Amino acid sequence: MNLRKAEGILFKAISYTAAALTITALILILGRITLEAIPSLTPEIILTPESEAKGFGGGLANAIVGTIFLSLGSTILAAPFAVGTAIYLKRYAKNGKMVHIISFMLDVMSGTPSIVLGIFALMLLVYSLNSITGGFSMISGVIALAILILPVMERAAEAAIDSVPVDIEHASYALGANKWETIKLITVPYALSGILTGFVLSVGRAAEESAVVILSAGYSQFIPEFRIAPNEKFIFGVKIYPFQDLIAALPVTVYHSFEFPHLVDPSEGFAAAFVLIAIVMFINAIARVIVWRRRIG
């Protein structure tokens, strides 16, 4: 056996071992969470808000609804900024200092620890803009999470725009279309599946975040409700629910179950973790389907 063949066998064995260890670790983690969560994975707990349960804990509906509101709200808020920035960098801006500065800032944002963004949200959105956001509230959490996921969405949009064949855009120009018409009718529709993939993955990224949510959205035992109530503490004299009110999230529920083990059954924390993992896996499955349909399309 020559040296090259031996090296190939060795690195193949290392690759298989690494893959097997990764899959084994994932199975063990998911298996442990599932086994611990089974006692609390009942329709009553999943469909009941904590406010209607006896004592502290006992319901996950408020956290499930809050997680959906926060993740979808932050994605909707960040989407126009992410796509607009990507279009500007790829189709309007010349390759100069401004492009490098914006790209550098996006890299810094994507590498910033979430706890730092959480503290920023706490100081600015919760304390300084209390009369507008309501302090710990859904709108504070949405804005903070939007800042967190913005770089992810922008990079996905850039990659999607890069995948558009140049010949198609040149054909559009040859037919008399200007740059904006070409972007609107050719570039964005062609890149839409890639952009949507970034959006879906961003929803999952926002759903699993904990530090930012704890420091901006707070926690509520109630399911979010839509109403407007007079309140002189706010800038317009009214409080808009649920945007200016506290809101729950599954990562915070998991944290509470281990912070107060004498008040909350640990299995409820594992149940919240199981539901959160299921939501993230479902979101990632949607992203996979979008990518698959894009490839066969």
Side-chain angles (χ1 to χ4, degrees), residues 4-157:
R4 291 178 61 186
K5 190 172 182 180
E7 288 179 348
I9 294 174
L10 175 62
F11 284 108
K12 186 177 181 180
I14 293 173
S15 299
Y16 277 121
T17 302
L21 289 174
T22 302
I23 294 173
T24 301
L26 178 63
I27 292 173
L28 290 175
I29 293 171
L30 294 179
R32 173 64 186 279
I33 291 174
T34 303
L35 289 174
E36 295 286 351
I38 286 175
S40 295
L41 281 177
T42 63
E44 180 182 358
I45 291 179
I46 292 175
L47 300 177
T48 302
E50 194 174 343
S51 59
E52 297 179 10
K54 295 181 180 179
F56 194 52
L60 297 176
N62 57 310
I64 294 173
V65 174
T67 298
I68 294 172
F69 277 26
L70 287 169
S71 55
L72 289 180
S74 59
T75 303
I76 292 171
L77 178 62
F81 296 98
V83 176
T85 302
I87 291 174
Y88 170 75
L89 292 177
K90 291 298 179 180
R91 291 298 181 266
Y92 284 102
K94 295 180 180 179
N95 190 17
K97 288 185 178 180
M98 182 58 66
V99 172
H100 293 304
I101 290 173
I102 294 175
S103 296
F104 175 74
M105 294 305 297
L106 288 169
D107 290 337
V108 171
M109 286 178 64
S110 63
T112 301
S114 59
I115 188 66
V116 175
L117 291 176
I119 294 173
F120 166 79
L122 178 69
M123 300 304 296
L124 179 63
L125 301 173
V126 176
Y127 292 149
S128 299
L129 300 177
N130 182 279
S131 61
I132 298 174
T133 63
F136 291 103
S137 62
M138 175 181 164
I139 191 64
S140 296
V142 164
I143 294 173
L145 287 173
I147 296 172
L148 179 72
I149 65 176
L150 178 61
V152 177
M153 298 178 69
E154 196 279 336
R155 292 306 189 196

Side-chain angles (χ1 to χ4, degrees), residues 276-287:
L276 179 60
I277 291 172
I279 291 174
V280 173
M281 289 180 67
F282 177 73
I283 290 170
N284 280 274
I286 294 175

Side-chain angles (χ1 to χ4, degrees), residues 272-295:
F274 180 88
V275 173
L276 179 60
I277 291 172
I279 291 174
V280 173
M281 289 180 67
F282 177 73
I283 290 170
N284 280 274
I286 294 175
R288 293 278 184 177
V289 170
I290 294 174
V291 172
W292 173 73
R293 291 191 64 179
R294 180 186 179 188
R295 286 176 178 173

